[in-house]
């Protein structure tokens, strides 16, 4: 019996399983796509890889709208297949400290080993699971999450061997704007963006904007949460639409901080 959080210990000793499970998720995804295109079912990986090269395959809308994602997942699947074979059928791999050193062993020919860190394996698992979540509709694929997919794909370049997409590290945050002006409707979004980029150099930052209006003690504070997708057109947002973004005040601490900041 293990008490507490067992996951860190599991990831330390089970890198081969993490790799194989991540690959299997891609395998099931592509098998589903091939069946949807009327391709004959085949349990052999090399046949499925050959079928994926067929022209005119129809993909679900999430993938169809993002050909770079189809290309990356296909290459990742193709390049991972011989490594998966090594883990299942051979012993040309070594696992330590949550990482994996592995080489292809197709037809008894040993290839150059690849070193996958614990973070690489985590990224592979995240990518495989995330794509399925977006396809199933459990998660919404917004701008920030799409950037995360591109970042993860670039992080796995040693596996899929495609040219990098060039995605800077994505980061999403919530910025709070405190004011006493009850009639505020225009925020200097460009200035906020400049400040954020200066403090997060080299990162691709998106942010939601939380506006907290604190007039005086006779009027309770109110807040609006503006999602990042709306910010580019915030200055033209009609008065009646602001009610769509009303957000509850979280606690007394936020109220006190808002009063202090608004008074500066």
């Amino acid at each position: 019996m293990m008490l507490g959080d067992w996951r860190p210990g599991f990831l330390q000793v089970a890198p081969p399983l993490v790799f194989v499970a991540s690959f299997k998720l891609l395998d099931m995804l592509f098998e589903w796509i091939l069946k949807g295109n009327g391709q004959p079912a085949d349990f052999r990986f090399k046949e499925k890889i050959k079928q994926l090269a067929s022209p005119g395959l129809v993909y679900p809308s999430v993938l169809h709208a993002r050909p770079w994602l189809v290309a990356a997942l296909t290459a990742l699947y193709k390049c991972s297949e011989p490594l998966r074979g090594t883990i299942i059928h051979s012993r040309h791999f070594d696992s330590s400290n949550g990482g994996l050193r592995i080489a292809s062993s197709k037809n008894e020919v040993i290839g150059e080993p690849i070193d996958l860190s614990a973070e690489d394996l985590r990224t592979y698992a995240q990518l495989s699971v995330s794509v399925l979540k977006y396809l199933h509709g459990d998660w919404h694929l917004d701008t920030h999450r799409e950037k995360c997919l591109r970042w993860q794909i670039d992080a796995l370049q040693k596996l899929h061997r495609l040219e990098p997409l060039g995605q800077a590290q994505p980061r999403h945050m919530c910025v709070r704007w405190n004011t006493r002006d009850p009639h505020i409707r225009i925020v200097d979004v460009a200035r906020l963006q400049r400040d954020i980029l200066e403090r997060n150099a080299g990162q691709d930052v998106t942010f939601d904007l939380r506006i907290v209006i604190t007039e005086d003690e006779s009027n309770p504070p109110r807040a609006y949460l503006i999602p990042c997708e709306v910010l580019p057109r915030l200055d033209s947002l009609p008065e009646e639409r602001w009610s769509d973004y009303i957000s509850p005040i979280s606690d007394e601490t936020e109220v006190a901080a808002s009063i202090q900041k608004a008074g500066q």
Side-chain angles (χ1 to χ4, degrees):
M1 179 186 294
M2 294 182 65
L3 302 179
D5 188 353
W6 54 269
R7 290 170 293 184
F10 172 80
L11 293 175
Q12 283 293 312
V13 299
L17 179 58
V18 174
F19 182 91
V20 170
S22 302
F23 169 83
K24 186 58 181 176
L25 290 177
L26 291 184
D27 177 58
M28 295 172 71
L29 165 64
F30 283 124
E31 187 171 303
W32 173 68
I33 290 173
L34 290 172
K35 286 183 179 179
N37 279 269
Q39 295 280 4
D42 199 304
F43 69 92
R44 291 171 296 183
F45 297 123
K46 66 177 182 180
E47 291 302 321
K48 283 183 274 192
I49 291 171
K50 192 180 299 183
Q51 289 171 338
L52 287 172
S54 303
L57 287 181
V58 177
Y59 291 91
S61 58
V62 168
L63 297 178
H64 177 76
R66 298 168 178 85
W68 53 268
L69 182 54
V70 174
L73 294 176
T74 304
L76 187 59
Y77 178 63
K78 179 179 179 180
C79 294
S80 296
E81 187 272 328
L83 303 180
R84 173 264 177 199
T86 294
I87 292 175
I88 299 299
H89 302 295
S90 182
R91 286 295 304 174
H92 297 290
F93 69 90
D94 178 62
S95 173
S96 62
N97 298 320
L100 188 62
R101 183 177 176 84
I102 183 172
S104 169
S105 55
K106 282 279 189 179
N107 301 319
E108 300 183 355
V109 177
I110 310 303
E112 286 293 321
I114 297 175
D115 290 302
L116 299 174
S117 66
E119 185 61 28
D120 292 333
L121 293 172
R122 181 175 182 269
T123 299
Y124 194 176
Q126 280 185 322
L127 178 63
S128 298
V129 171
S130 297
V131 168
L132 295 181
K133 289 287 188 180
Y134 297 137
L135 284 171
H136 193 256
D138 297 324
W139 295 351
H140 171 60
L141 184 51
D142 56 23
T143 301
H144 171 68
R145 286 174 167 171
E146 181 169 310
K147 291 176 180 178
C148 288
L149 288 178
R150 297 174 70 91
W151 169 258
Q152 290 166 349
I153 288 169
D154 277 358
L156 296 172
Q157 196 271 338
K158 69 175 76 173
L159 265 178
H160 57 66
R161 304 171 194 165
L162 298 179
E163 288 296 317
L165 297 171
Q167 174 63 54
Q169 184 174 8
R171 183 182 179 190
H172 187 74
M173 61 178 65
C174 185
V175 177
R176 189 167 69 192
W177 178 288
N178 302 287
T179 181
R180 288 186 180 276
D181 185 355
H183 304 296
I184 184 170
R185 287 295 179 268
I186 298 178
V187 177
D188 193 345
V189 176
R191 195 196 90 186
L192 289 176
Q193 289 174 323
R194 288 194 301 270
D195 290 346
I196 289 172
L197 288 176
E198 287 178 3
R199 299 178 186 183
N200 299 272
Q203 296 184 335
D204 189 340
V205 183
T206 55
F207 64 94
D208 299 330
L209 180 62
R210 181 171 175 79
I211 302 174
V212 182
I213 301 176
T214 309
E215 297 179 52
D216 50 50
E217 294 182 358
S218 62
N219 292 293
R222 63 187 187 277
Y224 301 88
L225 183 61
I226 314 297
C228 62
E229 293 87 356
V230 179
L231 289 177
R233 58 181 189 277
L234 183 62
D235 56 352
S236 60
L237 190 69
E239 183 87 13
E240 61 272 13
R241 287 293 310 280
W242 275 75
S243 59
D244 297 344
Y245 305 105
I246 291 177
S247 177
I249 297 290
S250 58
D251 53 36
E252 294 182 1
T253 303
E254 182 177 29
V255 174
S258 300
I259 293 174
Q260 182 182 8
K261 290 289 185 180
Q264 293 178 350

